[in-house]
Amino acid sequence: QLQLQESGPGLVKPSETLSLTCTVSGGSISSSSYYWVWIRQPPGKGLEWIGSIYYSGSTSYNPSLKSRVTISGDTSKNQFSLKMSSVTAADTAVYYCCSSYYYYYFALDVWGQGTTVTVSS
Amino acid sequence: EIVLTQSPGTLSLSPGERATLSCRASQTVSSNYLAWYQQKPGQAPRLLIYGASSRATGIPDRFSGSGSGTDFTLTISRLEPADFGVYYCQQFSRSQWTFGQGTKVEMK
C-alpha cells in the first residue's frame, strides 16, 4: 500500500529557502504510472497546487510560484523534494505531498499527513 | 489556467438530508480529469470521486458525481455525521492541477 511522509523544518525565516522531503513507501517514484505532487494549504484557506515531478524527471509548476520553486527526485532514496526560495509569511501553510495515479485519471489518490511550515523570524 | 468555482460556499443541512454541491469551470474540463475530495479539520483531503463520476476505493455509494463540460456536481444522498466537512473539486490538464475554493457542509 502506497504511503507518503513529509519531513523538514517546521520554522523557516523570511527570505530563506524552505526545504521539504517526501519519502515514498509501498511504491516507486520511478514508476511511469504516477506523478508526484506538492500541495499546500494556508491556515483557514483552500488547497493550492505547488508543482509536480514525473518519473522521467520532468517537472511542472504553478505559474504563480514558478520563479521560486524547484522539485526534484532521488530514486536511490525513493524520495522527492520541494525547495521554495525567498519565503515570506504568505508561505506559511500545511504542505502535503501526494501521488497522482494514471488509473484515477491523475487525481490525487494518496496524501501524506501534511507538515506545518511557519515563516517567521 | 482553468478556474474552478464552487457553490454554495456553505451548506447547512441535517443528517439524512441530501447535499448537492456544484463546481463550475471557466473552460471545458475533460470529464476524465475532474475529481472531488473531502477534508475534515486537521486531516489531509481524501479522494472521493475521480473521472467526474467514479468512486475511489472504499467510498460509500451515497457519494455520487456527475456532470460534463463546465458544470459538475457532487451529491451526497443521505448525509451521515461523518460527512460534515469541506469538499473540493479539482481538475487536471496539461500536467497542472487546480482546485475550487471549497464548499463547507455543516450540521444544521
Side-chain angles (χ1 to χ4, degrees), chain A residues 35 37 39 41 45-49 51-52 60-63 96 100 103-109 111-114, chain B residues 1 32-33 35 37 39 43-47 49-51 55-57 88 90 92 95-101:
Chain A
Y35 282 92
V37 181
I39 304 291
Q41 185 171 37
K45 296 188 177 180
L47 302 167
E48 180 180 33
W49 170 66
S52 65
S60 59
Y61 300 117
N62 187 319
Y96 297 100
S100 176
Y103 181 81
Y104 287 132
Y105 297 107
F106 298 110
L108 302 169
D109 60 314
W111 295 64
Q113 66 184 25
Chain B
E1 175 187 337
N32 287 350
Y33 299 115
Y37 303 83
Q39 187 178 32
Q43 297 184 15
R46 175 175 70 147
L47 177 64
I49 300 288
Y50 65 94
R55 280 185 297 277
T57 302
Y88 295 94
Q90 168 258 309
F92 170 79
S95 299
Q96 299 191 11
W97 290 255
T98 57
F99 292 90
Q101 81 280 19

Side-chain angles (χ1 to χ4, degrees), chain A:
Chain A
Q1 182 180 356
L2 191 63
Q3 292 184 313
L4 288 76
Q5 177 69 57
E6 306 90 350
S7 59
L11 181 64
V12 182
K13 290 183 168 56
S15 79
E16 294 190 345
T17 296
L18 177 162
S19 295
L20 296 174
T21 296
C22 182
T23 300
V24 178
S25 58
S28 171
I29 68 164
S30 299
S31 170
S32 61
S33 300
Y34 291 93
Y35 282 92
W36 305 99
V37 181
W38 287 99
I39 304 291
R40 72 177 182 178
Q41 185 171 37
K45 296 188 177 180
L47 302 167
E48 180 180 33
W49 170 66
I50 300 171
S52 65
I53 187 166
Y54 195 39
Y55 82 102
S56 59
S58 66
T59 54
S60 59
Y61 300 117
N62 187 319
S64 69
L65 300 170
K66 186 174 184 176
S67 64
R68 299 193 293 126
V69 171
T70 302
I71 294 175
S72 59
D74 184 337
T75 55
S76 66
K77 296 181 180 179
N78 214 31
Q79 296 174 333
F80 63 104
S81 298
L82 168 69
K83 292 189 185 300
M84 181 180 295
S85 63
S86 306
V87 297
T88 69
D91 296 310
T92 294
V94 177
Y95 286 75
Y96 297 100
C97 60
C98 313
S99 62
S100 176
Y101 187 30
Y102 88 97
Y103 181 81
Y104 287 132
Y105 297 107
F106 298 110
L108 302 169
D109 60 314
V110 179
W111 295 64
Q113 66 184 25
T115 188
T116 299
V117 177
T118 302
V119 179
S120 175
S121 55

